[in-house]
Amino acid sequence: MDGLLVGVDLCDEYTQINCPEEEMLWTIPTVICRNKNADEWYVGEEAYAHTLKGDGIIVDKLLNLAMRDGTATLGEVRYGGKELLFLFLERILKLPQREYQKTKTDRVVFTVKRLDPKMNRMLRDLGVRLGISEEQVQVISHSESFIYYTLSQKKEIWNNTVGMFDLAEAGLRYYEMKVQRGMKKVTVVAEYEDREEGFSLDILKTLSGSRLADRIMISCAEKIMAKKAYSAIFLTGKGFADQKWAEGLMKFLCSKRKVYMEQGLMARGAACRAGEEPGNNASFTCICDGRLKTTVSMNVLHRGQENNVTVAAAGDCWYDRVSVIDVIPDRQNTVDFIVTSVDSKKKRLISIPLEGFPKRPEKTTRVQIQVLFLDERTMEVTLKDRGFGELFPASSTQIRQEVML
């Protein structure tokens, strides 16, 4: 590819950009400003400067505005949130292009705090508008960025439990990652929790506030990390840009553990993902926010042999996964799915009755099964009667059911 591969950590507070195997990191406040007197746009710190100067109108929280289909009026013109986010992304992607003397971006991986189908679709559409082919635009969660960044480091960093504290203005989030071996394929599991101990970063501006914040973080770390063996702890987020306030926390964390500061961790993880070809099977199964935690399959008879057909596998992106299968029930009035845990130790059967389907002779009803996922734990199954040729025309019978995995 002649163009750039880019990882973008997109948050309402700030956006960070990194390219695979490059140290350069851009941090840009997620704001945009339109000049009052001309059709000129500014982003980040430049947007703040023009607003203070008085010749610009600024809009912040661009991701939230776009996600709720909001609008903003600038210079008597109303702009949709998605349009403003597009204008912002268009300008920030030119930063690495200028730095590395490239004329275009070939692949972009967006990473966000929490994935959902609407977010995925919106960012993919914006990527296409930016001139990037749809298959080269990917959207992953911060949890997945954490995995990719950590696995890009030396093995001794991730050969045991890895923890990460992300302290931002929006709150405190704790991530934990483990590598599970002993299976056919290495499985990496990352989970997170939003902690109640989060505080406004403004308190760090005073000595008393800094001491209070340090005590809060020490208490939080002690609760989370008790009786666990860690190979590494990462600290990221604006709150850890300066660690002088966290003297007690650092003393606790550094006791028999490796501790690393990385402000651009999420963007760098997204850049690691951008360095891989889309669709390539990674050398590991990734279980995290945005990925399925179980495998869904069906036992079917094909040409006289019983086969287990995978509908969706653990580690698949749930927001992209749609499966359509046609089956002909043989002496049964249910459609059965097998749900298997990632370690294959736990299995359970889910049966959906074919209630309301027309009564026909055996092997004369074709059922179309469509499976998609509302989140990593909820499967939506739609069963449609497709009939059986001219002898038994299809009816309008349809069953839709949500299944908790």
Side-chain angles (χ1 to χ4, degrees), residues 192-216:
Y192 74 86
E193 59 176 332
D194 291 312
R195 301 289 302 185
E196 295 178 353
E197 291 92 340
F199 46 81
S200 170
L201 300 186
D202 287 340
I203 72 171
L204 301 179
K205 296 176 181 179
T206 66
L207 182 60
S208 60
S210 295
R211 289 173 176 169
L212 174 61
D214 194 20
R215 290 196 299 271
I216 290 172

Side-chain angles (χ1 to χ4, degrees), residues 317-331:
C317 296
W318 62 263
Y319 49 86
D320 272 344
R321 196 70 164 107
V322 179
S323 297
V324 180
I325 304 171
D326 280 11
V327 300
I328 299 174
D330 183 10
R331 293 186 296 277

Side-chain angles (χ1 to χ4, degrees), residues 227-284:
K227 299 180 181 179
K228 292 181 183 178
Y230 289 84
S231 54
I233 296 289
F234 287 98
L235 302 177
T236 192
K238 187 178 178 181
F240 290 118
D242 181 352
Q243 308 94 54
K244 292 178 181 178
W245 63 270
E247 185 177 337
L249 174 67
M250 297 304 293
K251 185 177 180 180
F252 170 76
L253 293 178
C254 291
S255 176
K256 300 179 183 180
R257 305 180 191 92
K258 296 183 179 73
V259 179
Y260 300 91
M261 297 295 307
E262 182 51 81
Q263 283 303 306
L265 190 149
M266 300 305 182
R268 295 188 191 281
C272 291
R273 185 71 182 90
E276 293 188 351
E277 284 291 335
N280 277 11
N281 290 324
S283 58
F284 58 91

Side-chain angles (χ1 to χ4, degrees), residues 150-345:
T150 305
L151 293 184
S152 73
Q153 307 302 304
K154 294 178 181 178
K155 189 175 180 179
E156 55 261 31
I157 289 178
W158 48 264
N159 61 3
N160 216 321
T161 300
V162 181
M164 180 172 68
F165 291 93
D166 183 2
L167 180 60
E169 196 64 63
L172 173 66
R173 179 177 280 192
Y174 171 72
Y175 295 82
E176 194 166 283
M177 186 194 105
K178 295 179 182 178
V179 177
Q180 298 178 353
R181 301 178 181 85
M183 293 174 276
K184 291 181 180 178
K185 197 174 184 180
V186 172
T187 300
V188 186
V189 180
E191 298 177 321
Y192 74 86
E193 59 176 332
D194 291 312
R195 301 289 302 185
E196 295 178 353
E197 291 92 340
F199 46 81
S200 170
L201 300 186
D202 287 340
I203 72 171
L204 301 179
K205 296 176 181 179
T206 66
L207 182 60
S208 60
S210 295
R211 289 173 176 169
L212 174 61
D214 194 20
R215 290 196 299 271
I216 290 172
M217 287 301 303
I218 293 170
S219 175
C220 176
E222 287 175 340
K223 290 176 188 175
I224 291 173
M225 301 171 66
K227 299 180 181 179
K228 292 181 183 178
Y230 289 84
S231 54
I233 296 289
F234 287 98
L235 302 177
T236 192
K238 187 178 178 181
F240 290 118
D242 181 352
Q243 308 94 54
K244 292 178 181 178
W245 63 270
E247 185 177 337
L249 174 67
M250 297 304 293
K251 185 177 180 180
F252 170 76
L253 293 178
C254 291
S255 176
K256 300 179 183 180
R257 305 180 191 92
K258 296 183 179 73
V259 179
Y260 300 91
M261 297 295 307
E262 182 51 81
Q263 283 303 306
L265 190 149
M266 300 305 182
R268 295 188 191 281
C272 291
R273 185 71 182 90
E276 293 188 351
E277 284 291 335
N280 277 11
N281 290 324
S283 58
F284 58 91
T285 298
C286 186
I287 306 295
C288 62
D289 179 29
R291 300 274 184 168
L292 293 175
K293 294 175 172 57
T294 53
T295 294
V296 180
S297 62
M298 299 177 67
N299 286 333
V300 299
L301 198 64
H302 181 63
R303 294 180 179 177
Q305 289 190 333
E306 188 169 309
N307 295 288
N308 184 262
V309 176
T310 299
V311 177
D316 285 349
C317 296
W318 62 263
Y319 49 86
D320 272 344
R321 196 70 164 107
V322 179
S323 297
V324 180
I325 304 171
D326 280 11
V327 300
I328 299 174
D330 183 10
R331 293 186 296 277
Q332 68 180 72
N333 57 1
T334 62
V335 170
D336 300 330
F337 297 95
I338 302 164
V339 179
T340 309
S341 64
V342 69
D343 58 7
S344 303
K345 292 181 180 178

Side-chain angles (χ1 to χ4, degrees), residues 4-24:
L4 281 176
L5 311 181
V6 181
V8 179
D9 177 19
L10 185 59
C11 301
D12 265 330
E13 185 179 349
Y14 60 83
T15 297
Q16 293 186 314
I17 302 175
N18 180 244
C19 297
E21 301 179 1
E22 299 287 353
E23 283 301 312
M24 186 72 179

Side-chain angles (χ1 to χ4, degrees), residues 41 71 155 241 274 307 391:
W41 296 85
T71 61
K155 189 175 180 179
N307 295 288
L391 288 174

